[in-house]
Amino acid sequence: MKPLILVTNDDGITSLGIRTLVNIMQTLGDVIVVAPNSPQSGMGHAITIGEPLRLYETHIFEGVVEYECSGTPADCVKLAKNYVLHDRKPDLIVSGINHGSNSSISVLYSGTMSAAIEGAIEGIPAIGFSLSDFREDADFSHGVPFIKSITESALKHGIPKGVALNVNIPMKSDEPIKGIKICRQAHAKWQEKFDYRVDPNGRGYLWMAGQFVNFDTEKEDTDVWALDHNYISVVPCQYDLTEYKALKQLETWDL
Amino acid sequence: MKPLILVTNDDGITSLGIRTLVNIMQTLGDVIVVAPNSPQSGMGHAITIGEPLRLYETHIFEGVVEYECSGTPADCVKLAKNYVLHDRKPDLIVSGINHGSNSSISVLYSGTMSAAIEGAIEGIPAIGFSLSDFREDADFSHGVPFIKSITESALKHGIPKGVALNVNIPMKSDEPIKGIKICRQAHAKWQEKFDYRVDPNGRGYLWMAGQFVNFDTEKEDTDVWALDHNYISVVPCQYDLTEYKALKQLETWDL
């Protein structure tokens, strides 16, 4: 039996990134798509509480069972597993291809990666794919053979239990991709600036804009280093946020 | 100089939980509030991309500078630090008190904790407080002295860099709180069920409902164990999702 591959994303079901990913996955298994009906970038691990979800079958891709959902990427995985596919567990969840990088700290804000981590929580092997190019018409072509080989490896070897892979692909350039690096998440943050404007009704509003600040520039084992040097980065991600090193220190507080 | 304490939450600026937290913090320092203007439960680490934010000064609390924001809890922290307070860094960020537990896996879905983790990313000591009672009129009174003493300890000792504390308080009962436990995040998940209904226009919709499943029932060092035994749980949380133990295993894939 061919593996059952669930595809989702955060840019919405009509984006070029998910279309590219569906095309690749159709060469590797049976594909089902459950993806948001609108862009959900920056949604992090949000889920829909307090209002209901809409879920409709659509016909965007050829030869694929597909649904669009009014919720977040994490909602899509929960719906796919517990409602759409209730009698069969997917063998793999892939999310993306995101229009824009999800390296380093962006993994926290990323709907793409939260869908993959939701898979890891469910014990399903999961991979999030992102391209360092946020344009709607981004060129994904140079990443295709790598996405295929990483997915084949994951199906063959199995991803460690409770882990989701965060795969980032450099923007297309004249130089060919140098290869694939297994990395850790770079220590970095976004430094925001807010741009104050006034609407035609005289009320103020603010645009958030961010600049990426990397504190890890001297290390060569990070995802940001890999991308900067034209490698594809693969970071294994888990969801236990406990800082074990701090447990003893907190015990000394005598609370 | 008194410490500057930034207060936010995810239930919205008019909730009883944030009012309780503001009252406590006013006994410990200068308080500024930047909180969502509507409930943001389950928003995880979402940020607002692609649309602008509204920020208005309000006058709900006495003796406090306060703003309500149209964005998520993480947006509130970014706005407070980079726009409202651009000339002074808060000495502490507190988030909550959440109406409902944020123990174990719920930390990922929690707007309350994402605001605190956003503080940790900024290098600001941060604590998220939650009560295991999601009712609007939940009784927070038994938690007040503990919230005060934990905050005083954090101001005195300093929270380890890059760490935010996830503090959960058991629901009020006849039995007094037994004490405070330093814990790790329990290994657990939410098992969702979807309830299909049809609206008056004949279109289907789905309600998500979840049941908490704890895989860690035999261990006594988890936050869920502490809460079940009427202790307050304190979990130090960090934001590097890398699963370091998996790096070597992935190297064997020969990608």
Side-chain angles (χ1 to χ4, degrees):
Chain A
M1 196 155 75
K2 284 202 272 184
L4 178 63
I5 303 174
L6 170 64
V7 183
T8 190
N9 78 339
D10 77 356
D11 293 311
I13 196 163
T14 60
S15 70
L16 182 57
I18 195 169
R19 180 179 291 275
T20 309
L21 196 55
V22 166
N23 289 343
I24 299 168
M25 294 305 142
Q26 282 181 301
T27 69
L28 300 173
D30 291 328
V31 174
I32 177 162
V33 177
V34 181
N37 64 12
S38 66
Q40 297 279 324
S41 292
M43 280 306 273
H45 216 115
I47 51 172
T48 301
I49 294 177
E51 53 185 284
L53 292 163
R54 300 282 190 174
L55 182 79
Y56 297 115
E57 198 163 357
T58 50
H59 304 281
I60 298 166
F61 310 104
E62 242 175 273
V64 170
V65 177
E66 59 188 71
Y67 296 85
E68 60 173 38
C69 166
S70 61
T72 66
D75 288 334
C76 288
V77 173
K78 287 180 183 294
L79 265 169
K81 179 183 170 280
N82 300 308
Y83 184 75
V84 179
L85 285 173
H86 55 92
D87 55 346
R88 193 176 163 201
K89 199 169 173 171
D91 298 293
L92 182 72
I93 297 175
V94 292
S95 178
I97 307 167
N98 193 58
H99 294 239
S101 167
N102 280 315
S103 65
S104 181
I105 194 73
S106 300
V107 70
L108 292 195
Y109 307 108
S110 162
T112 303
M113 273 310 295
S114 294
I117 289 170
E118 192 62 33
I121 293 170
E122 291 293 346
I124 300 166
I127 313 175
F129 293 102
S130 305
L131 179 75
S132 298
D133 187 342
F134 59 81
R135 291 176 296 187
E136 265 178 54
D137 62 346
D139 187 341
F140 294 92
S141 61
H142 60 300
V144 169
F146 295 96
I147 291 170
K148 192 168 173 184
S149 72
I150 291 168
T151 307
E152 284 173 326
S153 287
L155 287 168
K156 182 178 154 200
H157 298 283
I159 294 173
K161 189 115 186 176
V163 168
L165 302 185
N166 183 14
V167 177
N168 280 276
I169 301 159
M171 184 189 265
K172 176 134 185 175
S173 72
D174 294 338
E175 194 195 355
I177 301 260
K178 280 191 193 133
I180 297 170
K181 289 258 185 214
I182 312 299
C183 307
R184 65 175 172 87
Q185 175 184 323
H187 178 45
K189 68 160 195 166
W190 287 92
Q191 178 60 52
E192 278 82 16
K193 275 197 177 173
F194 289 90
D195 186 2
Y196 179 84
R197 299 186 184 186
V198 177
D199 71 21
N201 303 311
R203 296 168 76 214
Y205 63 98
L206 291 147
W207 284 107
M208 180 159 69
Q211 201 174 357
F212 186 71
V213 185
N214 184 8
F215 304 114
D216 237 343
T217 49
E218 287 171 29
K219 305 290 178 58
E220 300 191 356
D221 61 344
T222 72
D223 50 2
V224 173
W225 187 94
L227 291 164
D228 284 350
H229 291 80
N230 214 28
Y231 288 94
I232 288 172
S233 66
V234 178
V235 177
C237 295
Q238 55 85 44
Y239 51 85
D240 177 2
L241 302 191
T242 311
E243 175 58 293
Y244 287 89
K245 293 194 294 284
L247 291 173
K248 271 194 186 161
Q249 189 173 337
L250 290 177
E251 292 287 0
T252 68
W253 286 15
D254 265 331
L255 289 169
Chain B
M1 197 155 75
K2 284 202 272 184
L4 178 62
I5 304 174
L6 169 65
V7 182
T8 191
N9 78 339
D10 77 356
D11 292 311
I13 196 163
T14 60
S15 70
L16 181 59
I18 194 168
R19 180 179 290 275
T20 308
L21 196 55
V22 167
N23 288 343
I24 300 169
M25 294 305 142
Q26 281 182 300
T27 69
L28 299 173
D30 290 329
V31 173
I32 179 162
V33 177
V34 181
N37 64 12
S38 65
Q40 297 279 323
S41 292
M43 281 305 273
H45 215 115
I47 51 173
T48 302
I49 294 176
E51 52 184 285
L53 291 163
R54 301 284 189 171
L55 181 78
Y56 297 116
E57 198 164 355
T58 49
H59 304 282
I60 298 167
F61 310 104
E62 243 174 273
V64 170
V65 177
E66 58 187 72
Y67 296 85
E68 60 172 39
C69 166
S70 61
T72 66
D75 288 334
C76 289
V77 173
K78 287 179 183 295
L79 265 169
K81 180 183 169 280
N82 300 307
Y83 185 75
V84 179
L85 285 173
H86 53 92
D87 54 347
R88 191 174 165 202
K89 199 169 175 171
D91 299 292
L92 182 71
I93 297 174
V94 292
S95 179
I97 309 167
N98 192 59
H99 293 238
S101 168
N102 280 316
S103 65
S104 181
I105 194 72
S106 300
V107 70
L108 293 194
Y109 306 108
S110 162
T112 303
M113 274 310 296
S114 295
I117 289 169
E118 192 61 33
I121 294 170
E122 290 293 347
I124 300 167
I127 314 174
F129 293 102
S130 305
L131 179 75
S132 297
D133 186 341
F134 59 80
R135 290 176 296 186
E136 265 179 56
D137 61 346
D139 186 341
F140 293 92
S141 59
H142 60 301
V144 169
F146 294 97
I147 291 171
K148 192 168 173 185
S149 71
I150 290 168
T151 306
E152 283 172 327
S153 287
L155 286 167
K156 181 178 155 199
H157 297 285
I159 294 172
K161 189 116 187 175
V163 167
L165 302 185
N166 183 15
V167 176
N168 281 275
I169 301 160
M171 185 189 264
K172 175 132 184 176
S173 72
D174 294 337
E175 195 196 355
I177 300 259
K178 281 192 193 131
I180 297 170
K181 289 258 184 213
I182 312 299
C183 309
R184 65 175 173 87
Q185 175 183 324
H187 178 45
K189 69 160 194 164
W190 287 92
Q191 178 60 51
E192 278 81 16
K193 275 197 176 171
F194 290 91
D195 185 3
Y196 180 84
R197 300 185 183 187
V198 177
D199 72 20
N201 302 311
R203 296 167 77 214
Y205 63 98
L206 291 148
W207 283 107
M208 179 159 71
Q211 200 174 358
F212 186 71
V213 185
N214 184 9
F215 303 114
D216 238 344
T217 47
E218 285 171 28
K219 304 290 178 58
E220 301 192 355
D221 61 344
T222 72
D223 50 1
V224 173
W225 187 93
L227 291 164
D228 284 350
H229 291 80
N230 213 29
Y231 287 94
I232 287 172
S233 65
V234 178
V235 177
C237 295
Q238 54 84 45
Y239 51 85
D240 177 1
L241 302 191
T242 311
E243 175 57 294
Y244 287 90
K245 293 193 295 283
L247 291 172
K248 272 195 184 161
Q249 189 172 339
L250 290 177
E251 292 287 0
T252 67
W253 285 15
D254 265 332
L255 288 169

